[in-house]
Amino acid sequence: MNTKNFTMQKNAKIIISALKNHSYDAYIVGGYLRDMMLGKRVNDIDIATDALPDEVTKIFKDKYIVAHTGIKYGTVTVIIDNVPIEITTYRSESNYLDGRHPQKINFEKDIKYDLSRRDFTINAMAYNDDRGLIDIFNSKFDLENKIIRCVGNPRKRFKEDKLRMLRAIRFASQLNFEIEQNTFDAIKSLSHTINDISIERINVELTKMLLTEKPSKAFILMYETGLLKHILPVIDDMYGYDQQNPYHQYDLFFHTMSVLNNVKNDIILRLSALFHDTGKLYTKTVDENGIAHFYGHNKISKEIAVKYLKKLRYTNNIINIVSLLVEKHMIAPDTITPKGIRRLISYIGKENINYLVELQKADSMSTTIGDNDIFEKKVKQVLDEENIFTKKDLALNGNDIKKLGYTGKEIGEILNYLMEIVLDEPRLNTKEILLQKIKDMQ
């Protein structure tokens, strides 16, 4: 991890050079520097400087768009070639009264003050081409050894900003790092305070965890630190829950974690995987052979998913799709017929059927059944036949029915009746046949 080989992004060089030409210091910092040192793709550019916000504005306003996005905290955003670059004045912070935001901010002239206020060592370095790497917390060592460690006293860091507890876990999952023991212990001792922060901020961190390459790591860490029971108690309750079924080699928690890892990196799929079996906690029955069954758990799981997703402030679109997938995840690939698949597509929508295919496959892979593509092949065959799946695809419409003398609710009822006929037999979807079906009703 040799900083001599760094190639700083052109726009970052422009900013730092301009500040230097006006006798100010400036460094790349934070996630931009961390990811650059890890050889990862760099997106957001963060620069720290001893120039005050008004001075930064004065330097760049004539040539670039300047936005005062976080002026209260000393941040000015300069936009170069449609790329926003955050420039923040060195600062120290104190009096975190709400467990998230500092009440008092002091602008500083020394980069060391700014690095000392940061959350983790891997985010507490600074670099420019003149001075090289500024590393006062042995951060490079932690980065090279894949360690998440708080800057200074971890309890103090987490009390200042309780969101940092989730950020520690998110970074550990995202980067596949380990959390240093004192930092881990501090999270464990303060986990009960996590709901002091807004649900919107929890949503952001949880979503980022779900979209990591292996989200199970984040959920296991949340369980081990006690955070999970305060954010998603229903998932916490799954830990150690014996499924007592020959198809399941894992307890309910680790089965869910396996499904979570096996679905594609998509928030709808990841949330569906997370909640798909939550209803098993409330539907377990054991037969005379000691085998457990969970009849109707999919419907309970749907209710649980809706409850938690609303609480976590996910969008209505996400909630609607996830609830449909959770409700219908109990597909029997070997026995479902083309007619059953047509009805399934009609119910959840053609645009969502591939989500269900993905969820079913991941669920199967996480049992003793293993990888199974039977359902996928059956769905593909039905879709290839271009069968109709909605009332809009019927060969006649409401106006056609209205011409026959029907009005109001009658029209909707007839369309539903015709839809049922065509789902059973797609070949009947011609205007002549459907008109005859209506006449036969009279």
Side-chain angles (χ1 to χ4, degrees):
M1 199 174 287
N2 189 344
T3 55
K4 289 181 180 178
N5 297 325
F6 281 179
T7 302
M8 199 186 303
Q9 200 172 84
K10 181 185 75 172
N11 292 342
K13 284 189 173 187
I14 290 172
I15 296 290
I16 291 173
S17 178
L19 288 164
K20 179 184 174 183
N21 290 338
H22 285 79
S23 301
Y24 296 112
D25 286 334
Y27 299 86
I28 56 171
V29 292
Y32 174 59
L33 178 55
R34 180 197 68 233
D35 289 346
M36 195 166 79
M37 292 178 71
L38 289 170
K40 293 179 175 288
R41 182 180 176 184
V42 178
N43 294 314
D44 298 333
I45 303 173
D46 296 314
I47 291 173
T49 180
D50 59 348
L52 293 171
D54 287 346
E55 294 165 338
V56 172
T57 301
K58 193 180 297 183
I59 292 168
F60 295 104
K61 68 177 182 177
D62 292 334
K63 193 169 184 181
Y64 305 108
I65 297 171
V66 176
H68 289 173
T69 48
I71 200 73
K72 179 181 176 182
Y73 298 101
T75 300
V76 172
T77 299
V78 175
I79 302 172
I80 302 176
D81 298 331
N82 295 319
V83 176
I85 302 168
E86 288 194 350
I87 307 170
T88 303
T89 305
Y90 303 155
R91 69 178 192 251
S92 58
E93 301 171 344
S94 57
N95 298 341
Y96 292 76
L97 296 182
D98 65 353
R100 178 79 181 101
H101 301 102
Q103 185 185 43
K104 187 177 180 181
I105 291 173
N106 293 317
F107 293 135
E108 305 286 355
K109 286 296 180 182
D110 191 331
I111 184 66
K112 292 179 182 178
Y113 288 101
D114 194 73
L115 299 180
S116 297
R117 73 175 173 82
R118 294 178 181 266
D119 49 10
F120 309 112
T121 58
I122 61 170
N123 296 328
M125 295 175 283
Y127 174 87
N128 67 27
D129 288 338
D130 291 336
R131 292 192 60 188
L133 187 68
I134 307 295
D135 182 7
I136 60 177
F137 299 108
N138 211 13
S139 305
K140 187 165 176 280
F141 173 88
D142 286 346
L143 199 62
E144 289 173 338
N145 289 277
K146 300 186 175 183
I147 297 169
I148 304 296
R149 187 196 312 271
C150 278
V151 172
N153 185 311
R155 284 182 62 86
K156 181 182 178 184
R157 287 283 90 86
F158 293 136
K159 283 183 177 180
E160 289 170 347
D161 182 352
K162 290 159 187 175
L163 187 68
R164 288 170 173 167
M165 293 188 283
L166 285 177
R167 280 170 58 84
I169 286 171
R170 191 248 297 174
F171 281 130
S173 178
Q174 211 169 43
L175 301 173
N176 196 24
F177 281 23
E178 298 303 318
I179 299 176
E180 178 265 338
Q181 192 61 50
N182 289 332
T183 302
F184 182 93
D185 291 343
I187 298 173
K188 197 169 184 177
S189 68
L190 295 170
S191 62
H192 64 284
T193 67
I194 192 61
N195 286 312
D196 290 350
I197 60 176
S198 73
I199 201 69
E200 287 83 4
R201 298 305 302 163
I202 291 174
N203 176 304
V204 169
E205 290 300 321
L206 188 63
T207 298
K208 287 179 179 178
M209 291 179 199
L210 284 165
L211 294 177
T212 58
E213 186 177 345
K214 192 178 180 183
S216 63
K217 178 163 184 169
F219 282 85
I220 292 168
L221 282 171
M222 282 196 289
Y223 175 82
E224 291 173 345
T225 56
L227 286 169
L228 191 60
K229 66 185 174 186
H230 297 293
I231 298 172
L232 290 167
V234 70
I235 308 300
D236 188 84
D237 287 345
M238 290 178 168
Y239 197 94
Y241 191 89
D242 189 353
Q243 299 197 73
Q244 289 179 243
N245 189 290
Y247 293 116
H248 288 283
Q249 69 269 47
Y250 305 125
D251 72 12
L252 189 54
F253 179 85
F254 282 100
H255 166 72
T256 299
M257 293 301 102
S258 178
V259 179
L260 196 57
N261 289 340
N262 282 332
V263 293
K264 291 176 183 174
N265 193 343
D266 179 287
I267 192 59
I268 286 171
L269 281 169
R270 291 279 168 88
L271 286 169
S272 301
L274 185 64
F275 289 103
H276 81 286
D277 271 355
T278 48
K280 284 187 173 181
L281 290 168
Y282 310 101
T283 54
K284 185 176 181 179
T285 58
V286 181
D287 65 22
E288 64 276 8
N289 298 314
I291 296 175
H293 304 277
F294 304 92
Y295 300 115
H297 79 269
N298 55 310
K299 295 188 182 300
I300 304 298
S301 297
K302 176 184 178 180
E303 294 173 8
I304 292 168
V306 170
K307 171 188 168 183
Y308 277 95
L309 293 177
K310 282 183 177 179
K311 179 184 174 184
L312 288 164
R313 310 282 170 84
Y314 280 99
T315 65
N316 288 335
N317 182 58
I318 287 176
I319 293 171
N320 291 338
I321 299 173
V322 169
S323 64
L324 284 172
L325 298 176
V326 169
E327 179 189 0
K328 292 298 181 181
H329 81 273
M330 287 297 291
I331 301 299
D334 292 325
T335 58
I336 193 167
T337 63
K339 183 194 298 186
I341 291 173
R342 288 195 294 271
R343 289 184 175 279
L344 188 60
I345 296 172
S346 178
Y347 182 75
I348 71 170
K350 187 176 180 179
E351 67 278 11
N352 297 321
I353 190 62
N354 287 324
Y355 278 138
L356 189 60
V357 167
E358 176 78 12
L359 180 62
Q360 188 276 331
K361 181 183 278 192
D363 197 11
S364 179
M365 287 172 65
S366 303
T367 68
T368 56
I369 297 171
D371 197 357
N372 188 328
D373 63 356
I374 296 173
F375 181 55
E376 182 178 19
K377 288 178 178 177
K378 288 184 175 182
V379 167
K380 185 178 184 305
Q381 183 177 351
V382 168
L383 291 174
D384 286 346
E385 291 171 0
E386 298 183 4
N387 293 301
I388 71 158
F389 306 110
T390 69
K391 283 181 274 191
K392 291 180 180 179
D393 300 321
L394 287 170
L396 50 71
N397 57 37
N399 287 329
D400 296 319
I401 298 171
K402 190 175 182 179
K403 289 175 183 177
L404 298 176
Y406 295 97
T407 60
K409 290 175 61 177
E410 291 177 321
I411 295 174
E413 290 170 355
I414 291 171
L415 285 171
N416 288 336
Y417 168 69
L418 297 178
M419 192 69 205
E420 290 296 313
I421 290 173
V422 173
L423 285 172
D424 280 346
E425 289 291 345
R427 62 183 178 80
L428 301 180
N429 188 34
T430 69
K431 192 166 187 175
E432 294 74 17
I433 292 175
L434 295 184
L435 286 171
Q436 185 59 50
K437 291 291 182 183
I438 296 172
K439 291 176 184 177
D440 291 345
M441 291 170 54
Q442 299 169 343

